[in-house]
């Protein structure tokens, strides 16, 4: 994908499609690739591999566009579906201000014969630390640096700190993956069910519990919903590791994870799915020990419907209680 810059827009061109990102209002508008001809003096600033979406850190700040600038192919499913890991993102400010220099791969068509300047980079001391530590820092920044109205310095400090941690989360955690041609959010068993509609676009049939950038592309999905009268999405809060316990009023438990292990041999494919999460009851923890032990006293129909037979392990009392549920 090529990124073009004009006075009023950033334009991401992908063959016969283009996405116009307004630098005046922060809006996103899909158009055809041929519409690039109508832009006034577009300048190619480099290549990207995907659009994560847009965010606004503070109500008084401008929108920012998140783009994938570095990726690594980490595997292939079914011999044809490449899975990519995000290694680096670029953030473009959707504002009238002069754009900062961006570190993007050069386009061979528009930068023929130009060598990209070698940049000296320094690895941060905390590089390779877990995604959770970075997320905790973001939470801490949001709690400790409370922007006040008419206090520009505090707001800028707040935005700068959040933005730095956001970039670090994508660039150093190695925790964000995507595939252009395969649904990574639904297990093989779910995709083989009669309710799975393969005629829909890939993003339309995703399990929204694991659609990690859904909120950042909501403007684009809303446009499609208005045109196609699509179904309402169900949102599920994941919570943060070691910071949340139990479940919320909708029945979504904290620290929820679904892991699928896929083994392919010849034309055979085997899948093993494991789910985990906080104990699905309303509870709190005052210390590090589970005394008295929590009780599993809430219905778990969603898990039964989703996974049929599922083993439920009450970790604090796992030596006493192992139960198998049936649909």
């Amino acid at each position: 994908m090529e990124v073009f810059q004009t006075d009023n827009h950033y334009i991401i061109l992908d063959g016969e499609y283009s996405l116009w990102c307004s630098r005046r209002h922060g809006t996103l508008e899909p158009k055809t690739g041929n519409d690039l001809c109508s832009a006034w003096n577009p300048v190619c600033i480099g290549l990207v591999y995907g659009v994560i979406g847009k965010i606004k850190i503070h109500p008084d700040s401008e929108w920012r566009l998140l783009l994938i600038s570095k990726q690594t192919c980490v595997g292939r499913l079914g011999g044809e579906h490449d899975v990519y890991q995000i290694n680096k993102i670029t953030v473009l400010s959707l504002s009238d201000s002069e754009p900062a220099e961006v570190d993007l791969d050069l386009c061979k068509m528009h930068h023929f014969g130009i060598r990209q300047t070698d940049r000296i980079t320094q690895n941060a001391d905390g590089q390779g630390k877990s995604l959770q530590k970075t997320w905790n820092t973001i939470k801490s920044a949001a709690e400790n640096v409370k922007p006040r109205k008419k206090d520009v310095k505090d707001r800028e400090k707040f935005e700068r700190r959040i933005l730095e941690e956001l970039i670090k989360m994508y660039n150093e955690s190695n925790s964000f993956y995507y595939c252009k041609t395969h649904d990574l959010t639904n297990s093989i068993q779910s995709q083989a069910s009669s309710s799975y509609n393969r005629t829909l676009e890939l993003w339309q049939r995703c399990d929204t519990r694991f659609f990690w950038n859904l909120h950042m592309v909501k403007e684009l999905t809303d446009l499609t919903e208005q045109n196609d009268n699509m179904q309402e999405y169900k949102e599920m809060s994941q919570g943060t590791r070691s910071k949340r316990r139990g479940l919320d009023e909708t029945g979504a438990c904290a620290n929820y994870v679904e892991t699928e292990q896929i083994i392919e041999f010849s034309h055979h494919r085997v899948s093993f799915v494991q789910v985990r999460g906080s104990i699905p009851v309303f509870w709190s923890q005052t210390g590090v020990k589970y005394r008295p032990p929590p009780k599993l006293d809430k219905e778990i129909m969603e898990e039964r419907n989703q996974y049929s037979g599922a083993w439920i392990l009450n970790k604090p009392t796992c030596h006493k209680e192992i139960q198998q549920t049936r649909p």
Side-chain angles (χ1 to χ4, degrees):
M1 299 180 185
E2 301 162 280
V3 183
F4 292 86
Q5 175 186 322
T6 70
D7 290 340
N8 298 325
H9 294 87
Y10 285 110
I11 304 172
I12 293 96
L13 179 66
D14 185 18
E16 59 182 3
Y17 303 101
S18 64
L19 180 65
W20 293 53
C21 313
S22 173
R23 296 177 59 188
R24 307 291 184 187
H25 311 291
T27 57
L28 306 180
E29 183 180 3
K31 295 186 178 183
T32 67
N34 293 332
D35 285 326
L36 181 65
C37 300
S38 65
W40 176 255
N41 194 26
V43 178
C44 181
I45 60 176
L47 298 174
V48 295
Y49 301 97
V51 178
I52 296 176
K54 68 175 187 177
I55 62 169
K56 178 180 281 191
I57 297 176
H58 186 270
D60 296 330
S61 64
E62 67 274 5
W63 286 99
R64 289 178 168 86
L65 185 68
L66 275 60
L67 304 173
I68 302 172
S69 55
K70 300 287 184 183
Q71 66 177 10
T72 300
C73 182
V74 295
R76 176 169 292 181
L77 293 174
E80 56 180 338
H81 305 295
D82 291 332
V83 179
Y84 295 93
Q85 180 188 81
I86 297 177
N87 303 126
K88 188 176 182 180
I89 67 168
T90 293
V91 181
L92 298 180
S93 177
L94 299 180
S95 66
D96 295 331
S97 59
E98 187 66 23
E101 182 180 355
V102 294
D103 183 15
L104 297 178
D105 292 339
L106 298 181
C107 171
K108 295 181 180 180
M109 178 181 299
H110 300 98
H111 302 95
F112 179 76
I114 300 177
R115 293 185 57 187
Q116 189 166 13
T117 304
D118 293 333
R119 293 177 171 85
I120 300 177
T121 59
Q122 295 180 350
N123 292 330
D125 294 337
Q127 185 173 9
K129 292 184 179 179
S130 67
L131 171 64
Q132 182 55 46
K133 186 173 182 180
T134 301
W135 176 245
N136 288 342
T137 306
I138 295 178
K139 297 284 289 185
S140 176
E143 295 171 357
N144 298 331
V145 187
K146 297 181 180 179
R148 297 169 294 178
K149 291 183 178 180
K150 300 181 181 179
D151 195 337
V152 179
K153 290 185 178 180
D154 276 0
R155 179 170 64 83
E156 290 178 348
K157 182 179 179 181
F158 171 81
E159 292 179 5
R160 184 168 56 251
R161 185 173 179 185
I162 293 295
L163 187 60
E164 289 173 354
E165 294 300 331
L166 182 67
I167 294 174
K168 182 187 294 185
M169 182 173 68
Y170 281 102
N171 292 358
E172 299 182 9
S173 69
N174 296 327
S175 299
F176 294 90
Y177 299 85
Y178 72 98
C179 181
K180 301 176 182 179
T181 57
H182 182 75
D183 183 5
L184 295 180
T185 66
N186 280 289
S187 65
I188 293 178
Q189 179 179 351
S190 297
Q191 295 184 43
S193 66
S194 58
S195 60
Y196 189 78
N197 189 352
R198 295 184 179 273
T199 62
L200 296 175
E201 294 291 337
L202 190 60
W203 67 269
Q204 294 173 333
R205 42 192 158 105
C206 283
D207 187 335
T208 56
R209 298 176 301 170
F210 310 115
F211 194 160
W212 52 263
N213 62 326
L214 174 61
H215 294 288
M216 289 188 279
V217 295
K218 195 173 188 304
E219 181 176 343
L220 296 177
T221 60
D222 285 346
L223 289 175
T224 306
E225 288 176 7
Q226 293 173 7
N227 295 333
D228 299 340
N229 191 25
M230 287 189 54
Q231 62 182 357
E232 180 182 359
Y233 283 120
K234 174 185 174 184
E235 298 178 359
M236 178 175 177
S237 174
Q238 300 298 324
T240 53
R241 178 71 177 136
S242 302
K243 289 289 187 179
R244 295 290 184 270
R245 293 289 187 267
L247 46 73
D248 61 16
E249 291 76 8
T250 66
C253 68
N255 306 321
Y256 188 86
V257 178
E258 177 184 293
T259 304
E260 181 178 25
Q261 181 180 6
I262 301 174
I263 300 177
E264 295 181 346
F265 177 74
S266 184
H267 60 281
H268 300 286
R269 182 182 297 180
V270 180
S271 168
F272 174 73
V273 177
Q274 182 178 10
V275 294
R276 64 164 302 276
S278 181
I279 300 175
V281 294
F282 292 98
W283 68 289
S284 61
Q285 182 182 9
T286 57
V288 296
K289 296 183 178 180
Y290 296 89
R291 294 181 180 178
K295 293 177 58 180
L296 293 176
D297 56 3
K298 287 286 185 179
E299 185 56 69
I300 54 170
M301 287 304 299
E302 180 179 340
E303 299 301 305
R304 290 178 176 174
N305 294 335
Q306 181 73 23
Y307 302 107
S308 297
W311 287 93
I312 300 176
L313 179 64
N314 187 356
K315 185 176 179 181
T317 57
C318 62
H319 59 287
K320 296 181 180 179
E321 179 180 351
I322 296 180
Q323 175 184 355
Q324 185 179 24
T325 64
R326 298 294 183 184

